[in-house]
Amino acid sequence: MAKKMYFQEEIETMPVEKIKALQEEKFLKQVKYVYDNNEYYRNLMDEKGVKPEDIKCMEDISKLPFLTKNDLREAYPYGLLCRPVKDCVRIHSTSGTTGRRVVAFYTQNDIDLWAECCARAIVAAGGSEKDVVQVAYGYGLFTGGAGLHDGSHKVGSLTIPMSSGNTERQIQFMKDLNATILCCTPSYAAYIGEKLHDMGMTADDINLKAGIFGAEPWTEEMRHSIEQSLGIKAYDIYGLTEISGPGVSFECEAQSGMHINEDHFYAEVIDPDTGEVLPEGSEGELVFTSLDKEAFPLLRYRTRDLVVLKREQCSCGRTHIKMCKPKGRSDDMMIIRGVNVFPSQIETVLLKCGYTPNYQIMVDRIGNEDTFDINVELSEEQFKQMKEDEDLEKARKSLTGAMVQMLGIRPKMHLLPPKSIVRSEGKAVRVVDKRKLHD
Ligand code: DLL
């Protein structure tokens, strides 16, 4: 059997008891550090009547208040900073479509640890200094580009800092420079695969072996579709700006959940309605506590991502706990005609039924009733095959039936000609919920 590869073997394969002890030691220090260095936290903890001295072990974490995105917005821009600005070397920011942006600050040490997390992900996807890593996540305020870029440097791979967009040039570089690992959002990877075929090439014309895809929810069906079109193994990577960026957790060869970098982040799953901590194996909202951040440490930050945590012996030899693919944010969940609907359920049905991953969900309210429409693009072949109106109608009916089975409610399906839905170069916009505009 080939030797297993890790970026930091000792940490990544550390016995669980040792990881837990390490987490506890760092946690106690981090609590005292934020209390001593940040007024906003001090007030929050004082309001709850907890002092750092009350926190004596990891279990005492339940005494601490939760932190939400609202706290981050309220404290914008410097309110949660635990170091003077002069000690910080960079910021990143969330896209902030609603309300104020969230700005996260980093010291050089924070950047180094974050880069190590991304390096672990690249090595877990089979990367080494012999690889050529094409980073097609956006560069700039978004953490995707910078995170994987720094991680690739740490590994010593040749890094192509493409950023997102200009897809033909993307493919040209990939081919000419023999890129072996592609990093971008899964929706952009799907588009690159489509464009490759449009340019008259197949996976055999490029040298990619792996992809590291994240920043948005994607289904197993989407994974298979990308793996086929690009001829690669596709690995998931998760993270969020508030906690650092990509690399909070990452997938290994087992491709069955993402190992959380437990030496830096402590994960809990809570009931999103009551805040009660749930036992391992239950689905709930993921909550993170950073264990060794300097500039922008967060204690018990509610991510709004719905996941299940499981600690199991993994074939890769890593011991860190795994999280399943997030089902989506709790606020991505739509309630349509009283039924909970996740975009990922719709994606699963579409790909299972042989449709493209190019779709858009539109919800509106007319009078008191929710309207629910799904636009799906046909592939060139499907479009050619379904020339007759009758064929189209038959396909539409059968797809509607499959949706009803999955969702429990009936959407109005629209099958559109190829290339009629705008492609995404970053995070795909899958849902247009006009009800929010009327509220
Ligand atoms: O998306 C960081 C990132 C960049 C992760 C590149 C992976 C790769 P934000 O823009 O702050 O940061 O968005 C964070 O995106 O709370 C999840 O809801 C979602 N998300 C991130 N990764 C995944 C994933 C980056 N692998 C928010 N699967 C998170 C599902 C994901 N959702």
Side-chain angles (χ1 to χ4, degrees), residues 174-204:
M174 191 180 287
K175 190 169 183 306
D176 295 348
L177 297 176
N178 287 310
T180 49
I181 299 181
L182 173 67
C183 307
C184 62
T185 59
S187 53
Y188 193 40
Y191 179 32
I192 292 176
E194 184 186 351
K195 192 83 183 176
L196 182 79
H197 292 93
D198 287 353
M199 286 166 74
M201 289 187 258
T202 68
D204 293 338

Side-chain angles (χ1 to χ4, degrees), residues 211-432:
I212 304 179
F213 306 133
E216 62 185 1
W218 54 308
T219 55
E220 282 304 321
E221 290 75 16
M222 183 81 157
R223 187 205 302 268
H224 296 141
S225 153
I226 297 172
E227 287 189 332
Q228 273 196 340
S229 72
L230 292 174
I232 57 172
K233 232 178 136 171
Y235 298 85
D236 203 352
I237 184 166
Y238 167 90
L240 60 167
T241 315
E242 299 90 315
I243 297 296
S244 64
V248 170
S249 64
F250 62 87
E251 239 175 18
C252 61
E253 59 180 37
Q255 292 179 301
S256 64
M258 296 177 270
H259 290 284
I260 295 174
N261 282 309
E262 287 194 283
D263 51 327
H264 300 305
F265 313 107
Y266 180 79
E268 298 170 275
V269 163
I270 62 164
D271 178 325
D273 298 323
T274 63
E276 181 202 347
V277 179
L278 301 176
E280 208 181 291
S282 325
E283 183 180 281
E285 179 178 349
L286 185 59
V287 173
F288 276 116
T289 296
S290 63
L291 297 174
D292 46 17
K293 277 175 74 184
E294 294 180 341
F296 201 69
L298 296 184
L299 304 180
R300 299 197 98 195
Y301 181 65
R302 292 184 60 158
T303 63
R304 295 180 293 173
D305 292 321
L306 298 177
V307 305
V308 176
L309 295 180
K310 57 175 184 209
R311 196 182 291 280
E312 58 179 21
Q313 210 163 14
C314 186
S315 60
C316 76
R318 287 178 184 78
T319 45
H320 294 201
I321 200 163
K322 284 196 210 174
M323 57 182 263
C324 70
K325 271 179 173 305
K327 196 166 169 191
R329 288 202 155 190
S330 48
D331 44 2
D332 279 347
M333 188 187 79
M334 301 169 280
I335 302 180
I336 306 174
R337 297 176 205 143
V339 176
N340 298 351
V341 176
F342 279 97
S344 56
Q345 296 174 298
I346 292 166
E347 185 173 299
T348 297
V349 174
L350 289 179
L351 294 182
K352 270 202 175 136
C353 296
Y355 287 88
T356 70
N358 302 312
Y359 63 96
Q360 199 153 42
I361 304 159
M362 279 148 327
V363 190
D364 202 348
R365 182 165 292 150
I366 295 178
N368 282 326
E369 206 185 323
D370 290 334
T371 61
F372 177 24
D373 291 71
I374 305 175
N375 284 340
V376 187
E377 205 184 277
L378 295 171
S379 66
E380 296 284 355
E381 286 119 70
Q382 284 170 328
F383 192 61
K384 268 189 222 134
Q385 278 166 11
M386 294 184 206
K387 270 213 200 90
E388 304 296 325
D389 284 351
E390 267 170 45
D391 295 337
L392 257 177
E393 189 48 27
K394 222 166 112 192
R396 202 184 62 77
K397 272 203 176 132
S398 131
L399 185 56
T400 307
M403 285 291 170
V404 173
Q405 244 196 350
M406 169 67 104
L407 307 173
I409 53 168
R410 183 175 296 271
K412 201 165 175 189
M413 301 300 308
H414 306 270
L415 300 180
L416 306 182
K419 307 274 184 293
S420 40
I421 291 179
V422 181
R423 300 293 185 267
S424 142
E425 295 171 348
K427 296 187 191 234
V429 181
R430 301 290 196 196
V431 181
V432 181

Side-chain angles (χ1 to χ4, degrees), residues 110-228:
D110 292 332
I111 297 271
D112 288 342
L113 298 185
W114 173 29
E116 283 177 6
C117 289
C118 289
R120 290 179 195 174
I122 293 172
V123 174
S128 73
E129 72 281 354
K130 295 194 192 115
D131 280 285
V132 178
V133 176
Q134 182 151 337
V135 183
Y137 284 112
Y139 279 60
L141 288 172
F142 177 53
T143 52
L148 271 307
H149 178 100
D150 290 350
S152 170
H153 274 228
K154 284 261 182 206
V155 175
S157 311
L158 176 64
T159 311
I160 313 181
M162 286 300 293
S163 195
S164 58
N166 206 335
T167 310
E168 280 190 20
R169 192 179 63 185
Q170 198 85 244
I171 292 171
Q172 201 60 52
F173 264 93
M174 191 180 287
K175 190 169 183 306
D176 295 348
L177 297 176
N178 287 310
T180 49
I181 299 181
L182 173 67
C183 307
C184 62
T185 59
S187 53
Y188 193 40
Y191 179 32
I192 292 176
E194 184 186 351
K195 192 83 183 176
L196 182 79
H197 292 93
D198 287 353
M199 286 166 74
M201 289 187 258
T202 68
D204 293 338
D205 295 303
I206 51 172
N207 204 26
L208 283 185
K209 64 174 186 191
I212 304 179
F213 306 133
E216 62 185 1
W218 54 308
T219 55
E220 282 304 321
E221 290 75 16
M222 183 81 157
R223 187 205 302 268
H224 296 141
S225 153
I226 297 172
E227 287 189 332
Q228 273 196 340

Side-chain angles (χ1 to χ4, degrees), residues 35 41-51:
Y35 190 85
Y41 270 112
R42 210 161 32 244
N43 289 341
L44 275 184
M45 285 172 62
D46 287 347
E47 269 167 34
K48 228 183 161 214
V50 231
K51 296 260 178 274

